[in-house]
Amino acid sequence: MVGGGFGGLAAALRLAKLGHDVTLVERSPGLGGPLAEITAGEFAWDAGPTYTLLPAVVRDLFRKTGRPVERELELVPLDVVREHRFEDGSAVRLPTGRAAQLAAFDELGPGLGQRWVDHVASYADDWDVLRRGYLENPWQPDDLPRDLAARLDSRETMHKRLRKTFKDERLRLVAGHPFVAEGHELRNVPAWAGSTAYVEQRFGAWTVEGGMTRLGSALVDRLATRNVTTLAGTEATDLVVREGRVVAVETTAGTLDADVVVCAIDPRRLPALAAYVVRTMPAIPPVVAYLGLEGDAPELPHELVLHGDPMLVVRTGGRAPAGASTLTVHGRGRLSEDLLRALARHRIDLRAQVVERIDLSPRDQVDRWGGSPMGVLWQGRATVRQRLGPRTPIEGVYAAGAHATPGSGLPFVGLSAALVAAEVGSA
Ligand SMILES: Cc1cc2nc3c(=O)[nH]c(=O)nc-3n(C[C@H](O)[C@H](O)[C@H](O)COP(=O)(O)OP(=O)(O)OC[C@H]3O[C@@H](n4cnc5c(N)ncnc54)[C@H](O)[C@@H]3O)c2cc1C
């Protein structure tokens, strides 16, 4: 297993449970990738994910590799997934569930509720087709069922779909947000990818009591139970391929023989695979500032999106000493000014309260996590066929993780690990 982020951990545990002798190679000293904590003094923040869609993916992973998740973690549904504040001063709080979303958008403007729920409902069939043919079963790119091919080969982009569906720009901003937040240009994202709006409405958004980092640590603890050998602080540098089949992994700690290799990192980082993904580019993470504040943070939902340029996303969560609080701010777009100054223009002025601050640029994150946790950049409908996974052209090599999925978030990464386990099968 190459890479010890969520994708690598999930795939390693599943394969170990299937009876394989698994060695996990992770270049940094710690496991989990961005599913880990960032600390400064007594402050701590979730470095990356603060919530997940599709909790069934996490539940299935825990159940199939040991004790059910409820025995180890408390998954908590979010009443409000995020609040959007628009440049004209209006705002909407996005709950989950059809009726609640209808009411929330109707408050934003009469009739907008129906438009929103119709838009989300238009994805119900897409989700079903994608789930069955692509996300939960290994796909055969050259032999797709007609309904799946019709989606994957469609020229309709998210930009076009949203312009056609919504006259009100604010609804377009809400619908496009998850993609913009992950670094994509809506003109390059296929319309079918918007089915995440359906997933969010139907199955909700969930966090873990005490922070998402706990999900990472629970999986790391499980590695020992499942007898996975972990080589942390060891970087995989290439694959050894003989007659089209993988036989070993080259690492900074020497060559490791292997019958099967799962690449749960950006495959462009392993020369043997790089040639097969020359057309892909990574999606770039946002600028992130982790803030430790003196006194209380403003009363905010789990996630607040401040539209404009730059676009700012403020997330709550984290741990702070008594009398202090934490926030995380992501920024995208015109960031010539400091994030806190940009935030102050939205009347959230924290400048006098900041006692700890850690900034990570996109470059810092790519260096820290050995690639972009945001996965592959959408460059049009062809991107779906240009990424690897679950199979790769090299026999015995499989791909999991954000670079092997159509959405970079944890649920898709978790599904990709399950697909690899299904493909490799029992020992
Ligand atoms: C700021 C931020 C916020 C996010 N928020 C959310 C959220 O709220 N919800 C959500 O669902 N998702 C979120 N994500 C996305 C989430 O982090 C990814 O879905 C997830 O981390 C991808 O998992 P992965 O295993 O594919 O890759 P990663 O988590 O990136 O893990 C890759 C691992 O491989 C290791 N590695 C790299 N190269 C090598 C090598 N050559 N040899 C050995 N090891 C190597 C790295 O050190 C790393 O540990 C966020 C991401 C970021 C950056």
Side-chain angles (χ1 to χ4, degrees):
M1 181 67 50
V2 178
F6 182 60
L9 292 171
L13 288 168
R14 283 182 178 274
L15 289 170
K17 184 70 183 18
L18 289 171
H20 296 276
D21 189 4
V22 181
T23 301
L24 189 152
V25 178
E26 165 56 50
R27 85 197 244 287
S28 26
L31 296 162
L35 201 56
E37 217 165 50
I38 295 230
T39 56
E42 291 180 75
F43 291 94
W45 303 261
D46 278 332
T50 57
Y51 70 92
T52 182
L53 303 181
L54 272 187
V57 172
V58 172
R59 291 205 178 96
D60 186 65
L61 170 63
F62 275 75
R63 204 175 40 241
K64 298 258 171 71
T65 61
R67 298 196 306 169
V69 69
E70 292 74 20
R71 304 269 296 275
E72 303 196 17
L73 301 171
E74 196 186 335
L75 280 174
V76 188
L78 297 173
D79 295 336
V80 174
V81 185
R82 69 185 69 85
E83 176 176 336
H84 290 265
R85 291 189 193 164
F86 307 101
E87 285 183 279
D88 66 0
S90 61
V92 63
R93 285 191 163 207
L94 185 72
T96 58
R98 183 184 175 282
Q101 289 194 349
L102 183 96
F105 282 98
D106 265 346
E107 253 181 63
L108 187 64
L112 295 187
Q114 195 58 50
R115 270 183 218 132
W116 176 262
V117 294
D118 286 349
H119 166 70
V120 175
S122 75
Y123 279 113
D125 288 347
D126 290 340
W127 174 248
D128 198 44
V129 169
L130 288 163
R131 192 180 57 74
R132 278 188 287 111
Y134 180 49
L135 296 167
E136 291 182 0
N137 287 298
W139 71 314
Q140 308 280 354
D142 303 328
D143 182 24
L144 296 181
R146 281 226 331 251
D147 51 2
L148 181 59
R151 269 122 184 134
L152 300 191
D153 295 335
S154 161
R155 285 179 189 279
E156 189 183 18
T157 67
M158 182 73 88
H159 175 77
K160 204 161 147 192
R161 166 86 66 106
L162 297 182
R163 287 212 79 88
K164 195 172 70 189
T165 312
F166 298 127
K167 279 206 190 70
D168 193 307
E169 196 209 352
R170 296 170 302 174
L171 268 61
R172 295 204 291 268
L173 288 170
V174 175
H177 172 72
F179 302 94
V180 173
E182 289 189 355
H184 305 286
E185 159 61 59
L186 296 181
R187 283 191 168 80
N188 295 328
V189 179
W192 60 260
S195 50
T196 45
Y198 174 77
V199 172
E200 192 169 86
Q201 184 191 83
R202 176 98 200 267
F203 307 107
W206 299 68
T207 189
V208 170
E209 183 65 38
M212 291 297 282
T213 308
R214 293 201 175 171
L215 170 60
S217 2
L219 296 176
V220 172
D221 292 348
R222 200 165 271 207
L223 291 177
T225 328
R226 296 257 72 91
N227 294 323
V228 173
T229 306
T230 304
L231 300 180
T234 303
E235 182 167 348
T237 50
D238 204 353
L239 305 176
V240 184
V241 181
R242 271 197 212 116
E243 292 164 15
R245 189 178 171 91
V246 73
V247 292
V249 180
E250 305 268 22
T251 78
T252 46
T255 305
L256 304 174
D257 291 343
D259 299 325
V260 166
V261 175
V262 180
C263 169
I265 63 171
D266 181 347
R268 299 176 325 135
R269 296 194 166 231
L270 297 175
L273 284 177
Y276 301 108
V277 282
V278 279
R279 293 219 188 105
T280 65
M281 296 257 294
I284 302 302
V287 168
V288 184
Y290 304 91
L291 305 176
L293 306 173
E294 203 170 42
D296 291 336
E299 199 58 46
L300 295 175
H302 183 76
E303 184 171 84
L304 170 67
V305 181
L306 300 161
H307 291 282
D309 194 4
M311 182 196 71
L312 303 174
V313 175
V314 186
R315 291 178 166 189
T316 58
R319 276 187 287 116
S325 53
T326 50
L327 285 178
T328 305
V329 186
H330 299 180
R332 280 200 185 274
R334 203 154 33 95
L335 284 164
S336 45
E337 64 184 340
D338 185 63
L339 275 185
L340 286 183
R341 218 182 126 103
L343 202 55
R345 285 194 291 102
H346 291 273
R347 292 196 209 89
I348 302 178
D349 194 349
L350 305 171
R351 288 173 291 186
Q353 278 183 270
V354 175
V355 289
E356 286 288 0
R357 174 172 176 172
I358 296 173
D359 287 284
L360 290 185
S361 68
R363 180 61 193 258
D364 294 337
Q365 292 170 70
V366 169
D367 288 348
R368 196 181 186 115
W369 293 307
S372 173
M374 298 304 184
V376 177
L377 182 72
W378 279 114
Q379 296 183 90
R381 67 187 170 133
T383 305
V384 75
R385 292 170 184 278
Q386 287 161 352
R387 81 184 93 221
L388 300 179
R391 282 178 290 266
T392 76
I394 303 177
E395 210 181 317
V397 180
Y398 298 85
H403 291 265
T405 67
S408 74
L410 298 178
F412 297 101
V413 171
L415 286 169
S416 76
L419 278 190
V420 164
E423 279 288 276
V424 175
S426 300

